Amino acid sequence: MAFLGRGKDDEEARPQSALELAAQPEVDPGRLASTVTGLIENLLDTGIDGKGRFDSAQKVADVKRAEQATAEGAVDAVVRQHLKLGAAGGFVTGLGGFITMPVALPVNVLEFYLVATRMVAAVASLRGYDIKQPQIRSAVLLTLVGADADDLLKKAGVLSTGRLSNLAAQRLPGPALMVVNKAVGFRLLTMAGKKSLTKLGKGVPMVGGVLGAGLDTYLLNRIAAQARHEFPPRNTSH
């Protein structure tokens, strides 16, 4: 799905990629740019750092680490916790206006990505990564798009060195990270559009709710597996 396709006449037929859109901050100063900016800010500020009753990823990681005998046991506990949250749904809705966006996504879709972001960031923290580091935060966002991450990095001119956690060693400059983050935002909006269609089934009593919960659990499981791969254990003392 392409959001924009502006350019010369002979290029109009070719949809722009997420990276091409992200690299052109003035391409749409209105609805689209506001939506992408709002989405990324919510994922970083709320999904990782927490806000209101939505605990930060670091707090979640610390609580689970205190409850478990090993860091890997804590990782498993974090994943289980967020799978339950994703299946239940609705918990972010009561947090108020801070999760609203200039162009609103369906609340339950934004809720899903907030849960997924915190889960990935908590796993990264438990595996020994500093989730305050900009490169690691970008790696967390890239984990949400799965197999598309390598393509986004390649088109951004970032050398892929295996796992996304290796972005920290590359010390990418701020502007490059901003382009990557915005590209993730464009890609997530594309995914959200498709995902929100399946959410329409939630309007059907019982059947819709079961299908919606099953879909969220399945997708979160995939993201959790991706997080375990992208953030291998860095040390045994965390």
Side-chain angles (χ1 to χ4, degrees), residues 36-51 54-58 98-99 110 113-118 121 130-142 144 174 177-182 184-185 188:
V36 171
T37 299
L39 176 59
I40 294 304
E41 287 179 352
N42 271 303
L43 295 185
L44 292 174
D45 296 343
T46 304
I48 297 180
D49 297 330
K51 192 173 290 186
F54 192 73
D55 290 336
S56 69
Q58 190 60 60
F98 74 82
I99 64 166
L110 177 58
Y113 286 126
L114 287 173
V115 171
T117 300
R118 188 175 70 176
D130 181 3
I131 57 176
K132 293 181 180 180
Q133 193 173 1
Q135 290 85 351
I136 294 300
R137 293 163 79 87
S138 290
V140 167
L141 295 182
L142 282 162
L144 302 181
L177 291 175
M178 289 178 62
V179 169
V180 171
N181 289 353
K182 286 179 64 178
V184 171
L188 288 178

Side-chain angles (χ1 to χ4, degrees), residues 77-206:
V78 163
V79 172
R80 287 195 299 270
Q81 174 188 8
H82 287 79
L83 290 178
K84 291 178 182 177
L85 288 175
F91 74 99
V92 173
T93 308
L95 294 183
F98 74 82
I99 64 166
T100 61
M101 296 171 59
V103 180
L105 285 174
V107 172
N108 50 17
V109 173
L110 177 58
E111 173 185 285
F112 172 86
Y113 286 126
L114 287 173
V115 171
T117 300
R118 188 175 70 176
M119 177 182 69
V120 174
V123 169
S125 177
L126 288 166
R127 290 282 181 86
Y129 299 88
D130 181 3
I131 57 176
K132 293 181 180 180
Q133 193 173 1
Q135 290 85 351
I136 294 300
R137 293 163 79 87
S138 290
V140 167
L141 295 182
L142 282 162
T143 301
L144 302 181
V145 300
D148 289 342
D150 285 342
D151 182 55
L152 293 180
L153 287 172
K154 184 186 301 181
K155 290 179 180 177
V158 177
L159 179 64
S160 178
T161 57
R163 290 183 171 91
L164 295 176
S165 55
N166 292 334
L167 286 178
Q170 297 187 51
R171 300 187 180 277
L172 297 176
L177 291 175
M178 289 178 62
V179 169
V180 171
N181 289 353
K182 286 179 64 178
V184 171
F186 281 111
R187 190 61 56 89
L188 288 178
L189 288 181
T190 302
M191 295 164 62
K194 297 175 181 177
K195 188 173 185 293
S196 62
L197 293 178
T198 65
K199 292 290 187 177
L200 295 177
K202 285 193 171 183
V204 180
M206 295 298 291

Side-chain angles (χ1 to χ4, degrees), residues 61-69 74:
D62 291 342
V63 168
K64 294 305 180 185
R65 185 65 185 90
E67 294 175 351
Q68 302 295 322

